[in-house]
Amino acid sequence: MSDYLAVARRMWQRIEPLHATLYFAPEARQVASDLGYDVATRWPSYFAWRTAPLGAAGPELVAATYYSFSPRLIARHVPQIWTTADPAKVLDARLLAMDRALTTLTRDRLTSGQLTEAARLARQAAENAGPAARPLAAANRDLPWPDAPHLVLWQAATVLREHRGDGHLAALLTFGLDPCEALVSFAAIGAAPAADFAGRGWTAEEWREARHRLVARGCLGPDGGATERGRKEREAIERLTDRLAAGPWRSLGHSHAERLAQLLKPVLAAAFEAGYLPHHSTLGIGTVKVGYP
């Protein structure tokens, strides 16, 4: 793995949890409830938070950009989410949610100077995240930058997370994995339990059919576990994802990327200590655990 491919993967481990705080922090759940979303399940607010930069997107666009969710699940929530709150209101609300969450997480963890430095470095990387063929990254790049450093940091993390995620979908397509197959193969290598994907809306029959297709291609064994070929294919997908995600970090430079990684450590530690985040990433597909490295 080339130097900047390794940096891209390391920074993914730092950026993904920071971005994902929006979907799990109690402060965000309260803001979503105040908007009128049903927070007994996380999907209504999740689809609203993540989709709002695209505008009042319909189910086809959301399914295309999210990839691994069943279109039926998406259609149960989209476009209904926009009758609860329009995208502009959701965008304002998600900044309010992250203002509250990150104020708590950064308190006594970073000085104001360190927070400003982290925001500057993250924004520099995000502004060098090429938007071509990356719709979710581009939509977030189109948003105005907030003033507060902790919100700049989060918005930059979101651009970078979606930039990598968009590239990952290109890698999955390159290797011929359809949305359900992507989840089945991910679970088969042990990166996350299959049960973690139950909420994505695929039926048991669809899951079995995807597994059968992967068995026929030699990627899975009859027991559903990954074969050597399947493992090599998943690692090749991750290497391609790293390559497609390396640009912002190459522009930032190795030493600045390492500095940003160090500045983020105490914030991520606070998020995990608070119990906000799951132990595995099921928000975007990749073989990196969402954890505090």
Side-chain angles (χ1 to χ4, degrees):
M1 188 183 297
S2 75
D3 188 40
Y4 278 105
L5 269 62
V7 172
R9 191 171 296 195
R10 173 171 164 76
M11 294 309 298
W12 157 258
Q13 293 175 312
R14 296 292 195 261
I15 292 298
E16 169 78 6
L18 177 60
H19 161 77
T21 300
L22 174 65
Y23 309 126
F24 298 101
E27 294 89 347
R29 189 162 53 249
Q30 183 59 58
V31 171
S33 178
D34 292 343
L35 276 178
Y37 290 108
D38 177 4
V39 294
T41 171
R42 71 185 180 94
W43 296 128
S45 59
Y46 173 80
F47 286 123
W49 293 141
R50 193 170 174 216
T51 307
L54 294 171
E60 294 280 354
L61 177 55
V62 176
T65 53
Y66 284 32
Y67 198 72
S68 63
F69 286 82
S70 163
R72 289 185 308 278
L73 173 67
I74 291 170
R76 287 203 293 271
H77 299 287
V78 180
Q80 182 180 343
I81 52 173
W82 309 128
T83 66
T84 302
D86 64 47
K89 187 175 291 186
V90 172
L91 289 172
D92 288 341
R94 75 176 193 169
L95 284 180
L96 173 63
M98 291 314 301
D99 178 43
R100 293 175 179 175
L102 288 179
T103 295
T104 300
L105 293 177
T106 59
R107 185 182 296 124
D108 301 325
R109 299 279 183 161
L110 292 178
T111 67
S112 61
Q114 289 172 326
L115 192 55
T116 298
E117 182 184 5
R120 176 179 59 79
L121 292 171
R123 178 172 175 173
Q124 184 177 339
E127 288 178 337
N128 284 285
R134 288 177 164 89
L136 279 171
N140 280 281
R141 274 188 45 155
D142 268 344
L143 301 176
W145 288 99
D147 295 324
H150 61 299
L151 296 180
V152 171
L153 176 61
W154 179 80
Q155 186 157 309
T158 297
V159 170
L160 292 162
R161 185 261 172 241
E162 299 293 17
H163 178 269
R164 181 184 176 93
D166 289 337
H168 187 66
L169 302 191
L172 291 172
L173 286 169
T174 298
F175 280 83
L177 289 176
D178 71 27
C180 192
E181 291 168 359
L183 298 181
V184 173
S185 70
F186 187 59
I189 63 171
D196 284 5
F197 300 115
R200 297 294 179 101
W202 302 103
T203 66
E205 181 61 25
E206 287 170 329
W207 190 271
R208 282 193 298 271
E209 290 175 355
R211 186 169 64 184
H212 291 330
R213 292 193 297 273
L214 292 172
V215 169
R217 279 155 42 188
C219 295
L220 270 61
D223 63 350
T227 61
E228 182 179 359
R229 175 180 175 178
R231 289 185 178 278
K232 286 182 177 178
E233 181 175 279
R234 283 303 315 200
E235 184 51 39
I237 288 169
E238 299 308 325
R239 286 198 302 271
L240 178 54
T241 300
D242 291 331
R243 182 158 63 85
L244 294 172
W249 309 111
R250 189 177 291 111
S251 296
L252 188 62
H254 190 281
S255 62
H256 285 157
E258 177 59 28
R259 175 59 176 163
L260 176 59
Q262 293 303 312
L263 288 168
L264 290 176
K265 282 177 68 174
V267 182
L268 301 189
F272 282 100
E273 289 166 10
Y276 286 1
L277 300 169
H279 293 296
H280 297 90
S281 172
T282 60
L283 299 169
I285 307 308
T287 59
V288 179
K289 289 182 180 180
V290 176
Y292 175 50

